Amino acid sequence: MSKYPETYAAWQSDPMSFWAKAGQQIDWFTPATSVFNAESGVYGRWFDGATCNTCYNCVDRHVDAGHGERLAVVYDSPVTDTVQRFTYSELQQQVSALAFVLRSLGVTKGDRVVIYMPMVPQAIFAMLACARLGAVHSVVFGGFAPQELATRIDDAAPKAIISASCGIEPGRLIAYKPLLDEAITLSSHKPDACVILQRDTLTCDLTAGRDYDYGHTVAAAITAGEGTECVPVLATDPLYILYTSGTTGQPKGVVRDNGGHMVALKWTMENHYDVKPAEVFWAASDVGWVVGHSYICYGPLLHGAATLVYEGKPVGTPDAGAFWRVIQDHDVVAMFTAPTAFRAIKKEDPSGALIADYDLSKFRTLFLAGERSDPATIEWAQAKLDRPVIDHWWQTETGWAMSGNPVGLGAFPVKLGSPGKPMPGYDIQVLDDAGHAVPPGTLGNIVCKLPLPPSGFPTLWNAPDRFISSYMAEYPGYYATSDSGIIDEDGYVFIMARTDDIINVAGHRLSTGAIEEVIASHPDIAECAVVGKADPLKGQMPLGFFVTNDGAGLDAAELEADLIKLVRSKIGAVAAFKCALEVKRLPKTRSGKVLRGTVQKIADGEAFKMPAAIDDPAILDEMSDALRARNLIG
Ligand code: COA
Ligand code: AMP
């Protein structure tokens, strides 16, 4: 029997006691004056008045408790043919020395540090070193182009940047240093220092007076016996800023605090993921995403478990057996990835034959999130792995699952297509556009009654007004998730689609507005629209439509090639922008709003209702013709 119902009911009847008890799992320097202060912040603040240090809880306390020899970080990199293991004592030494280097470069409590790194263990050390100093890190995904990095540098105004000489994608080396240099040239804010990890695969020149060699400086600090103690911060002080796509080109800086974040993540390790200290947990994501923050870095380490840093892909490094090899080699007990990774594996190894080549006896549960899990993928994974496959739903804004199926409490039956039921802390409701609750089973806007639980974002960096207007204003008293869906009679949540202009490509959250801004900057383009077209592998792919200026110099094919190059150079490879169609005009309402929702339905070959306010219905036929001419619809 699952203990979920009684656990959720315990939270509902006394949320303060619930979180106070969860808070006992964290080592505080001084306790909170109130578990929840409703008067502070926009909707209240968790563990108000407490002082703590996240790095201390992730690293030092395990060493102090006599677990220094326990495995903390495993690095498995098929792209460099490397496996490295770090115990908690070794992790402490690396992190403390790097924090010393950063402090020598002037980084102190409250300063921001941007981290732009591939999937190497030093990315984790960098995050923890910032936390140790009370500095606020902002990790930028390596697949973003210099312009995107520059935007984040300008917003976060970092004192230092930690980066590497290169990243390695299958068949392609990415020289990070020129990208970093270009970003710093583009940004108005300039960091005082950059700490660069030189990788053997491709080294880079360092800029005199600004750049420091990560390996040399950390090794010198260790040799000299230098290190740093953990700096006490308020539980409500920021731990990190993570930029995520908004509806415009300006990303939103989601702020995460220290105290509530630790409490929530620690609770999930045991109760949701059913992982015990000293076991190996693997989130096959990237440190640049929230999943990487919560479950490659902080969650497993807060719990005294080992985390796995994987620099590879589900397929192609070298084949579709890569995940099974890693699970076997490192005794992984639970794994977390995006459904797209499983679709990629299924495509290459439909019968799952490669699974039989590996010993998965330690492996207990597969967790999926980041995008909608299509039932076919879940069923395939269930059948081939013969283990529970658990979908759970969350957002960068929350830092942990809003709905799921807590395996540690005893899983309840899975309903295909549903990422489970609301987690303790989340009062999830479905409202119609006027803000009224809808009956069970009815599609509507998914909201969460305030306050958000521990780890919920208290604000947006440098944008408190946008925090209110984007999330809090539409349904007063509720956090608007911008997801639509239903809650059925049994309390299962179903997430159907975003209600804004965000699309989800291979589990990556992208703004169609940001892509449109880049396309519109081309001198030949009069106007454009980008929608997310359903894709069997990546979930969605961006699809562009453009209208040219009179007298445009290039033909449609040349323009398409130009636009693809432009998006890649301005946003990055991660945008996966591969297709742009010329049309004579875009379908709009009489007030001039582009009907993206209808265009998306046409692109997906779905039935649609003619929008009442459409200016000229004939334009929809023109869109269909353009799609048909490229064989994108039947
Ligand atoms: N640095 C630089 N470039 C990167 C990058 C990084 N860290 N990560 C991805 N890219 C590049 C890819 O090489 C690709 O470039 P290409 O257009 O030259 O091929 C592009 O960005 C698009 O990447 P992606 O959409 O991830 O496609 P892919 O073909 O490389 O891989 C999957 C497809 C399904 C295997 C891959 O997306 C995957 O493993 N996804 C897991 C999902 C995930 O991690 N989600 C995070 C939230 S849980
Ligand atoms: P991100 O902030 O990048 O984690 O993206 C969050 C968005 O991804 C959510 O708003 C959803 O649209 C989508 N998402 C995440 N997890 C799931 C899931 N399990 N099922 C459906 N959609 C999901």
Side-chain angles (χ1 to χ4, degrees), residues 107-130:
V107 175
T108 57
K109 182 163 140 180
D111 287 338
R112 273 79 59 212
V113 175
V114 160
I115 300 172
Y116 184 61
M117 291 190 101
M119 282 294 290
V120 289
Q122 288 79 5
I124 305 291
F125 305 161
M127 295 163 81
L128 292 167
C130 293

Side-chain angles (χ1 to χ4, degrees), residues 501-578:
D501 295 330
I502 299 292
I503 58 172
N504 198 313
V505 179
H508 308 140
R509 174 168 159 179
L510 296 174
S511 158
T512 53
I515 301 175
E516 286 174 5
E517 280 176 30
V518 173
I519 296 177
S521 71
H522 191 287
D524 280 355
I525 299 299
E527 56 178 350
C528 64
V530 173
V531 298
K533 177 170 167 50
D535 181 81
L537 179 64
K538 297 197 178 187
Q540 288 184 307
M541 283 288 273
L543 170 64
F545 296 90
F546 61 88
V547 179
T548 57
N549 287 318
D550 290 345
L554 300 176
D555 69 22
E558 289 168 332
L559 257 179
E560 180 179 20
D562 246 25
L563 296 176
I564 289 170
K565 231 168 60 198
L566 194 63
V567 171
R568 196 173 170 99
S569 74
K570 293 281 183 208
I571 296 181
V574 66
F577 186 70
K578 315 255 184 215

Side-chain angles (χ1 to χ4, degrees), residues 117-118 141-144 169-170 172 174 176 284-286 289 291 312-315 323 336-338 340-341 344 369-370 505-508 537-538 568 572-576 578:
M117 291 190 101
F141 178 60
F144 280 122
E169 283 292 288
R172 187 161 63 96
I174 298 157
Y176 271 41
S285 177
D286 188 287
W289 309 117
V291 173
K313 302 269 172 179
V315 294
F323 277 10
F336 177 169
T337 191
T340 188
V505 179
H508 308 140
L537 179 64
K538 297 197 178 187
R568 196 173 170 99
V574 66
K578 315 255 184 215

Side-chain angles (χ1 to χ4, degrees), residues 30-112:
T30 52
T33 43
S34 67
V35 171
F36 181 70
N37 179 357
E39 302 307 315
S40 182
V42 171
Y43 60 82
R45 298 302 308 265
W46 291 98
F47 301 96
D48 203 30
T51 59
C52 57
N53 183 284
T54 296
C55 180
Y56 178 78
N57 277 277
C58 287
V59 183
D60 301 66
R61 71 160 165 168
H62 305 307
V63 178
D64 293 350
H67 303 310
E69 294 315 302
R70 193 187 272 176
L71 188 61
V73 177
V74 185
Y75 168 53
D76 187 305
S77 168
V79 293
T80 58
D81 200 16
T82 311
V83 173
Q84 259 182 308
R85 294 181 174 84
F86 299 86
T87 64
Y88 271 97
S89 289
E90 289 164 340
L91 177 64
Q92 185 184 40
Q93 186 184 53
Q94 290 294 325
V95 171
S96 176
L98 178 59
F100 172 81
V101 170
L102 291 174
R103 200 177 56 188
S104 316
L105 295 173
V107 175
T108 57
K109 182 163 140 180
D111 287 338
R112 273 79 59 212

